[in-house]
Amino acid sequence: MAKIKLRKVTKGQPPRNYDRLCEVSAITDQPMLGDIARNDPDPAVRRLAIAMLTDQPSLGDVARNDPSWYVRLMAVKKLTDRPTLEYILQNDKNEKVRAEAVLRLQ
């Protein structure tokens, strides 16, 4: 599996979101997209990775654990795993994320 090194945002400099987003948009490897969705420091990059991600365990992990409610919401919109959706419905702190879980469970 080829590793793509993403540029890091340097403190005190404006972020290079465009370059990083372009790099991520070229990735098709699901495990790598899952890693980016879980660990990238930039929520915009995580959202892009989620948009391209189909791996349900990775989406579930992001939906349960991401600090950004909007990133969690995007992951929930792609989830099909009923137990994970039920967990999110019962435990997520954000009303919009819980509401999306309800819609996905119907």
Side-chain angles (χ1 to χ4, degrees):
M1 169 168 68
K3 292 277 184 177
I4 295 177
K5 186 175 181 180
L6 299 176
R7 292 180 188 94
K8 295 194 183 225
V9 176
T10 305
K11 192 173 184 176
Q13 292 182 342
R16 293 188 194 175
N17 279 3
Y18 180 77
D19 291 339
R20 294 177 72 223
L21 291 169
C22 288
E23 290 172 354
V24 171
S25 70
I27 298 171
T28 58
D29 182 69
Q30 288 294 302
M32 187 177 290
L33 286 170
D35 184 56
I36 293 166
R38 285 188 300 274
N39 299 312
D40 197 274
D42 187 340
V45 175
R46 293 195 310 270
R47 288 192 308 264
L48 176 60
I50 290 166
M52 299 168 60
L53 192 59
T54 59
D55 179 60
Q56 289 295 303
S58 293
L59 287 167
D61 186 35
V62 172
R64 285 188 304 272
N65 300 310
D66 197 275
S68 167
W69 72 268
Y70 192 71
V71 173
R72 291 193 314 273
L73 177 64
M74 287 192 64
V76 169
K77 286 183 176 189
K78 294 188 76 176
L79 269 177
T80 58
D81 180 55
R82 192 168 186 84
T84 303
L85 288 166
E86 289 171 351
Y87 174 86
I88 290 163
L89 175 61
Q90 295 173 359
N91 296 293
D92 199 277
K93 295 177 183 178
N94 186 276
E95 179 180 333
K96 292 178 182 178
V97 177
R98 290 191 312 268
E100 185 62 32
V102 168
L103 291 174
R104 299 291 296 163
L105 285 166
Q106 294 176 351

